[in-house]
Amino acid sequence: MSENTPFVQFMQALGGGVAGAVTRFITQPLDVLKIRFQMQVEPVSEHRESKYRGVIHAFKSLYAEEGMRGMMRGHNAGQLLSISYALTQFWSYEQFRSYAHTIQYLNERPFLLYFLCGGLAGSLGAVASQPFDVVRTQVVAADPTSRRSEMRTLQGLRIIFAKEGFTGLHRGLTFTLVQIFPLVGANFLIYKFLNALVLTAMQYQRERRREATHKSTGHDINGFFLFVNGALAGVVAKMLVYPADLLKKRIQLKSFKHDRQSFGRNPDCPTVIGCISTTYRQEGMGGFYKGMTPTLVKAGLTSALFFTIYDLFNRRFIHPLKRPESDESNIKRKRPWT
C-alpha cells in the first residue's frame, strides 16, 4: 500500500480525468447518434415514418438539420459526465486493485480480481456521473427547437432537481448499475487478458532472439496494442449488456416527452417491466438492439482511448513516482502485467 501515496492517487485521478475529457471530445457525435437511435420507436430502416433510417442517413440528416452544433449537442454535460466518470473509475480501480492484491484468494486469481475491481470502480463512477448523464440525455434527445435542447449543464441540474428532486437526477441509475458492473468488469478483464497475451508473445520473441534477460513489465506494451486491446474489450463487453443501456435511456425520457415531438413516436416506458413489455411488443427483439452499430463503434473507440490514454499517462507520470517495492512486488507475483 506504500506505493499509493496521496500524490500518486491525485495523479491517478488526473489521468482518468484527462482520458475522459479527450475521449468525450472525439466520440461525442457517435453518442448523439446512439441516443437518437435508442429513442426512436420506428424501425431504423427504409421506413417512411422513420426519422433516421441508418447510420449514414442519420449523420447526413443530423448535419443538414442541426449543423456541427447538433453533432456536438450535449457536449458540455457529456464532458462533465466523462470526466467525473473516468476520474472516479480509474482512481477507485487503482485503490481496489491495490487492496485486492493483499487478499491471497484474489491475488491467486488475477482475472477475477480484474473483473471485481473493474466492476466496483465502474459502479462508483456511474453513481458519481449519473446526474450529468440525465442532463446530457435530455439535451440530446429533445427537439432541437425546444428550450430543453439548449439547457446548460448547471441549469439542467437545477431544473430537474426542482421538478423531480434527487429521483430525477438519478433516473435510470438502477439500470445503469445493472449493466455497468458486468460491463466494466468484463472490459478490464478482457483488456488485461489481451495485454497478457501480447506480453507473452513479446517474451517469446525475445527468447528467440536470446534477449530473455530483458526486464519485461506492463509498460513494455506498445501504444498500438493498448489501443487495439482496449477497442476489442470495449466492443465485446458492450455487446453483453446493450439492452440494459437502451432501456435506461428510454426510462430517462419519461419526464420530458413534451419536448420531443419531431422524432416520431416516443417510447412508452413508465416502469421497467412496462418498458421491456412495450419495446418487445412494438419492436420485437430487434428493438432492444436499436442503435447497436454506432454504439459498438463508440464503445470500442471509447474503451480504446480510455485505456490507452490512461496507461500511457500512468507510464509517463505515475509509475516513476511509485517506490521501488512496487516493481519488486510485481516480480514476486510473477505477473508484470497486473
Side-chain angles (χ1 to χ4, degrees), residues 196-237:
L197 292 181
V198 170
L199 282 171
T200 300
M202 290 170 59
Q203 186 64 28
Y204 175 73
Q205 289 294 326
R206 287 180 182 134
E207 289 175 355
R208 290 191 62 182
R209 297 172 185 171
R210 297 182 181 180
E211 295 177 5
T213 57
H214 179 82
K215 184 180 178 182
S216 174
T217 73
H219 302 282
D220 287 332
I221 300 178
N222 184 277
F224 171 78
F225 289 112
L226 294 177
F227 189 89
V228 171
N229 292 346
L232 290 173
V235 169
V236 173

Side-chain angles (χ1 to χ4, degrees), residues 257-310:
K257 285 185 177 182
H258 58 282
D259 281 326
R260 193 176 185 277
Q261 301 298 323
S262 64
F263 295 101
R265 287 183 294 160
N266 286 318
D268 183 18
C269 290
T271 64
V272 174
I273 301 301
C275 192
I276 295 173
S277 175
T278 302
T279 300
Y280 180 75
R281 186 175 63 254
Q282 295 183 352
E283 304 167 65
M285 283 301 298
F288 294 102
Y289 293 90
K290 194 164 286 182
M292 185 99 164
T293 300
T295 298
L296 291 183
V297 173
K298 176 181 177 288
L301 187 57
T302 297
S303 179
L305 291 169
F306 262 14
F307 281 121
T308 303
I309 294 171
Y310 180 76

